[in-house]
Amino acid sequence: MLIAVIMSIHLSEEAQYSKQKHIFGAMVVDAFVVNLLGLASQIYLAIDAWRDFITPEGIKYILIAEKVFIYLLPYFAMRYVMSLFQLELDNIPKIAIIAIPTVYAVVFCFSGFWTDFFYFISDEGKVVYRYPQGATVNIGVILYFIFATYLLIKYTKTLSSEKAIALWLFYFLMMAGIPIRIMSKSGSVFEFSISIALLLCVYTFQNPSEFVDRMSGAGTRNALNFYISTSLIQKKEFTILGIHVDKLAVILGVEPMEAASDLLNQISSYLKELCPDGNLFYPGEADFMMVFPDMTPDESVIEKTVEQIRKRFKEPWKIRGDEIKLLQSPYTIGFPEEVDSMDRYSEVMSVLSKAILRQNRDILRVSDLSLKMVEHDKKIDNIVKHALDDGHMEVYYQPIYTPATGRFSSCEALLRLKDPQLGFISPAVFMPIAERNGTILAIDKYVLSSVCEMISTTAAREYGLEYVEINLSIVDCIQTNLAENVLKTLSKYDVKPSEINLEITETSEEGINAVMEENVRKLMAAGVDFSMDDFGTGYSNIARVANMPVKIFKLDKSIIQSAFDSEVNYMVMYNMVKIIKSLGKEIVAEGVETGEQARQIIKLGCNHIQGFFYSRPMPKDQFVEFLKEHNS
Ligand code: C2E
Ligand code: MG
Ligand code: MG
């Protein structure tokens, strides 16, 4: 029954790799047949009435068939593990290792028809082995066991630990089951262990949510990483053709689940058609990745595929009955020629994502990235580590306008790094690096102290400044002592908790959210308010974000700015404003650059506006002057 359930789960799911799916299917069917035949022979033994029904000749067929199917199981198990690691039967020694024991076992089983040399079937319908020749068939099982152990040792490092454990257990149960079946009179221990082994696979390697993205139907990030790492171990050649779809993440963030999923599906079904074996992955956000086995990026197939994709993207896609045009940027990565390790891969991907924004629409190659960018990152890493001590950091303030009062009653603190050689370095460049190398904690502490000092030592309060928005990195949010540290700094400068507002961004990682929410709760209890920054980028889960106890939502500048290039994008912004207002939250519109934008946004009912139209971020003294001039 368990196996029947597994079979039905298996048939109802769409698995990523068709080969793996077929082998798994064959293995399940095989196990099922073994069980059925086992059952038939047991019934024959147990119920006298059946003996009249089935002839001794008939039971012989059943027993021999059962044996054949039992000996096919290790073969399928072996092939299954190989398919997991994309190992092909592509040379003679491999084929021999896999085929000989199985062929021997099958011949061994069928020999029961003609000779009694290996075993015979007794009058009661039992299989009786002759020793020692009857044991020779187990040599094959042992050979498989050795080969599988070798594969597992070699490849399990490409798996996460829970998957590695599951695979070892699978193999142990499979392999232990065979001798148990042969030695014990009853097969139930064997059948049970096989069922458990298969069930284990259904929940790990055959689990579609692990390997197939529900929204798009393409392979997940896990599946892609697994493909890359196993292929790298085997030194297989392949090329990834990546398609970066501009603004996709933004659109997905604000559309309802079904509409988003439908859009992803349209793109992924189109791309799937174009890649060999439908090997398409959607590792998340805005990139689709097509895998071309046995190919270098120079081959003309790649260029032709890109040409087709370009043509398709000139046509609109459908979303909720409307049409939307999307821009795409293609890039290629050649393995193992250009990228030969997982570390190098993530390095290339992080540089790629920055390079895509700057490039024109030719195919971006790894060689275009040049090591310069990687080196540039390293240089900045070094600058960031010393910038605080060297006094190269300064906090700037960007005023935020409140239309209802016509005053600038708040501002955002934005950090500036000025290197003597490189000049100003944008926080968009150095913040991710500071987060990686850990200096972010000291940096944000410095920003908080500077803000408090500004509030307590300048005339900003008198000129109408009510509160300052301060960015918190996600790294701050997971510090358990964040709340204590912030409150200590506030009291040191005699700044009220209501005079600062902390900006956080959404994440999708549950662990982070738990600690973050705890910090938010503690600080809110003390009177500090929060804003949700960059809302509309990333992967917004409106339902969850709506439950975050923030007072303000900051609509990201990409939403505001794109709203004025097309009707659909305008509707996106319009609906986001409506949702946020219906939740009873305040809205800050970021990145307003023109008077026309400001006018429209005020008309929509945003509570606060921040952007170059009113003022760029500026140093402390200039900011205080600004308040004095505009708020009196
Ligand atoms: P953010 O918090 O979303 O900050 C708003 C960014 O938009 C700032 O970029 C600001 O200069 C820019 N901006 C404001 N108005 C306009 C406009 O009208 N047009 C355009 N194009 N841009 C506008 P900035 O200063 O480069 O900061 C980038 C990001 O770096 C910030 O995004 C924030 O996430 C991070 N950041 C900046 N300072 C800090 C800090 O002290 N701590 C932390 N943790 N992050 C910071
Ligand atoms: Mg911010
Ligand atoms: Mg922002």
Side-chain angles (χ1 to χ4, degrees):
M1 277 164 72
L2 201 51
I3 295 181
V5 171
I6 293 168
M7 204 144 61
S8 65
I9 295 176
H10 176 68
L11 287 177
S12 64
E13 298 288 10
E14 187 191 328
Q16 169 68 8
Y17 305 111
S18 50
K19 187 157 200 180
Q20 177 185 326
K21 182 180 163 138
H22 294 147
I23 295 176
F24 185 75
M27 187 161 64
V28 174
V29 169
D30 188 315
F32 192 67
V33 173
V34 168
N35 275 284
L36 279 185
L37 295 172
L39 197 66
S41 66
Q42 299 218 357
I43 289 173
Y44 173 81
L45 288 179
I47 304 169
D48 287 343
W50 275 58
R51 298 202 187 197
D52 306 330
F53 200 62
I54 307 176
T55 61
E57 197 56 29
I59 195 65
K60 195 170 164 184
Y61 285 124
I62 292 180
L63 286 172
I64 287 174
E66 186 195 3
K67 279 200 146 330
V68 172
F69 281 101
I70 288 178
Y71 282 115
L72 283 175
L73 261 183
Y75 167 78
F76 285 129
M78 192 75 235
R79 290 298 312 274
Y80 179 61
V81 172
M82 288 178 68
S83 76
L84 285 183
F85 298 121
Q86 280 110 45
L87 290 164
E88 307 286 343
L89 279 180
D90 50 6
N91 59 39
I92 306 282
K94 258 196 228 163
I95 296 173
I97 290 179
I98 300 301
I100 292 171
T102 300
V103 170
Y104 180 76
V106 172
V107 169
F108 176 95
C109 295
F110 279 116
S111 74
F113 282 125
W114 303 287
T115 77
D116 285 346
F117 180 67
F118 290 116
Y119 64 90
F120 64 90
I121 290 167
S122 70
D123 298 337
E124 302 97 77
K126 278 192 181 155
V127 177
V128 183
Y129 280 80
R130 293 192 190 278
Y131 284 97
Q133 65 269 37
T136 53
V137 70
N138 292 328
I139 294 171
V141 177
I142 292 166
L143 283 180
Y144 277 168
F145 194 70
I146 293 169
F147 185 43
T149 310
Y150 162 74
L151 285 186
L152 291 188
I153 290 172
K154 185 165 174 194
Y155 288 108
T156 38
K157 56 176 175 283
T158 64
L159 297 172
S160 61
S161 57
E162 71 274 10
K163 285 219 194 73
I165 291 169
L167 194 58
W168 277 105
L169 213 55
F170 164 76
Y171 228 85
F172 176 75
L173 288 171
M174 269 294 188
M175 289 302 174
I178 312 279
I180 290 172
R181 179 72 180 93
I182 291 161
M183 283 169 208
S184 72
K185 301 274 173 290
S186 136
S188 37
V189 176
F190 162 72
E191 266 117 40
F192 195 65
S193 82
I194 297 291
S195 314
I196 297 294
L198 295 176
L199 198 62
L200 214 56
C201 292
V202 165
Y203 281 101
T204 52
F205 299 100
Q206 298 307 118
N207 185 348
S209 59
E210 271 291 315
F211 287 108
V212 182
D213 178 59
R214 286 265 170 216
M215 300 262 280
S216 64
T220 58
R221 183 189 297 267
N222 276 348
L224 178 64
N225 287 347
F226 188 58
Y227 183 96
I228 297 174
S229 51
T230 51
S231 305
L232 282 176
I233 291 182
Q234 296 169 60
K235 305 199 168 53
K236 270 196 201 161
E237 194 173 60
F238 65 101
T239 290
I240 286 184
L241 169 57
I243 304 293
H244 176 88
V245 183
D246 288 9
K247 299 219 180 87
L248 185 61
V250 177
I251 296 165
L252 296 177
V254 297
E255 288 298 331
M257 194 73 155
E258 304 87 77
S261 175
D262 182 48
L263 179 64
L264 282 176
N265 252 308
Q266 288 169 52
I267 303 174
S268 82
S269 345
Y270 176 74
L271 295 178
K272 227 180 206 173
E273 293 283 300
L274 300 180
C275 45
D277 300 325
N279 251 344
L280 178 75
F281 296 88
Y282 174 59
E285 310 257 324
D287 289 55
F288 285 88
M289 296 199 175
M290 308 165 77
V291 173
F292 290 80
D294 310 314
M295 230 176 254
T296 66
D298 302 308
E299 265 151 282
S300 61
V301 181
I302 307 273
E303 181 63 43
K304 275 188 200 130
T305 309
V306 169
E307 222 22 75
Q308 257 176 299
I309 293 172
R310 242 181 223 136
K311 243 189 238 154
R312 174 63 188 86
F313 272 79
K314 290 207 173 108
E315 304 297 316
W317 304 86
K318 292 221 155 51
I319 189 156
R320 284 182 292 105
D322 279 336
E323 291 196 330
I324 185 168
K325 272 209 180 144
L326 296 169
L327 292 175
Q328 53 84 34
S329 334
Y331 56 89
T332 55
I333 309 172
F335 295 82
E337 182 78 5
E338 296 171 338
V339 169
D340 58 0
S341 71
M342 281 314 266
D343 283 345
R344 172 90 179 119
Y345 170 65
S346 39
E347 203 175 85
V348 163
M349 283 311 293
S350 71
V351 181
L352 248 170
S353 56
K354 286 179 218 151
I356 282 168
L357 300 175
R358 295 188 206 131
Q359 72 128 17
N360 48 26
R361 311 264 146 200
D362 287 336
I363 301 177
L364 186 67
R365 294 285 305 265
V366 172
S367 51
D368 300 333
L369 297 175
S370 73
L371 287 166
K372 265 193 230 129
M373 291 183 80
V374 177
E375 245 136 55
H376 186 68
D377 268 24
K378 284 201 185 119
K379 201 164 175 184
I380 291 176
D381 184 277
N382 211 21
I383 292 173
V384 167
K385 277 185 185 145
H386 299 106
L388 273 184
D389 292 340
D390 297 350
H392 295 326
M393 296 228 179
E394 188 181 351
V395 178
Y396 275 40
Y397 299 90
Q398 186 176 30
I400 298 177
Y401 179 68
T402 305
T405 58
R407 289 162 70 90
F408 293 87
S409 36
S410 65
C411 65
E412 177 169 4
L414 292 161
L415 192 57
R416 293 294 173 258
L417 195 176
K418 191 166 182 209
D419 182 71
Q421 272 136 46
L422 296 183
F424 276 109
I425 302 171
S426 160
V429 172
F430 72 77
M431 278 298 169
I433 294 173
E435 287 186 347
R436 253 181 281 147
N437 70 22
T439 40
I440 188 76
L441 290 175
I443 289 177
D444 279 346
K445 226 178 208 164
Y446 164 78
V447 173
L448 180 66
S449 305
S450 306
V451 169
C452 289
E453 193 191 81
M454 185 277 286
I455 295 175
S456 64
T457 61
T458 68
R461 276 166 174 158
E462 289 153 45
Y463 298 136
L465 180 70
E466 290 170 12
Y467 61 93
V468 178
E469 305 215 337
I470 302 171
N471 291 285
L472 271 193
S473 152
I474 209 73
V475 182
D476 294 301
C477 296
I478 53 174
Q479 306 299 318
T480 43
N481 55 0
L482 172 74
E484 287 76 21
N485 285 344
V486 169
L487 295 174
K488 220 186 280 165
T489 309
L490 291 180
S491 73
K492 179 176 158 198
Y493 290 95
D494 238 339
V495 169
K496 282 187 256 118
S498 61
E499 288 177 299
I500 63 161
N501 176 307
L502 298 178
E503 294 187 2
I504 53 177
T505 48
E506 46 185 325
T507 67
S508 53
E509 280 164 67
E510 308 239 328
I512 290 184
N513 286 322
V515 183
M516 178 156 103
E517 281 172 34
E518 182 56 32
N519 274 325
V520 171
R521 207 159 299 130
K522 273 192 216 157
L523 284 164
M524 280 189 65
V528 177
D529 283 321
F530 281 82
S531 295
M532 180 61 66
D533 199 4
D534 301 341
F535 187 65
T537 61
Y539 213 82
S540 311
N541 177 336
I542 305 257
R544 216 204 65 241
V545 173
N547 283 314
M548 288 289 293
V550 299
K551 183 176 167 187
I552 297 175
F553 275 76
K554 299 193 76 171
L555 268 190
D556 192 68
K557 56 177 176 281
S558 61
I559 301 286
I560 302 294
Q561 289 172 355
S562 63
F564 298 94
D565 345 306
S566 85
E567 194 90 342
V568 173
N569 287 340
Y570 184 84
M571 287 314 286
V572 166
M573 175 183 76
Y574 176 87
N575 282 309
M576 287 178 86
V577 170
K578 245 177 39 187
I579 293 174
I580 299 169
K581 288 181 80 168
S582 72
L583 294 170
K585 313 272 184 183
E586 291 178 25
I587 302 176
V588 176
E590 288 184 317
V592 173
E593 291 185 350
T594 65
E596 177 57 20
Q597 290 174 354
R599 205 179 54 77
Q600 293 252 20
I601 280 163
I602 292 171
K603 213 169 77 186
L604 270 180
C606 287
N607 311 74
H608 312 280
I609 305 178
Q610 174 181 358
F612 294 170
F613 174 63
Y614 295 102
S615 167
R616 287 184 177 257
M618 53 200 154
K620 179 175 79 177
D621 295 334
Q622 224 174 304
F623 170 66
V624 177
E625 274 305 303
F626 180 96
L627 290 179
K628 184 178 171 188
E629 197 177 308
H630 291 84
N631 278 354
S632 33

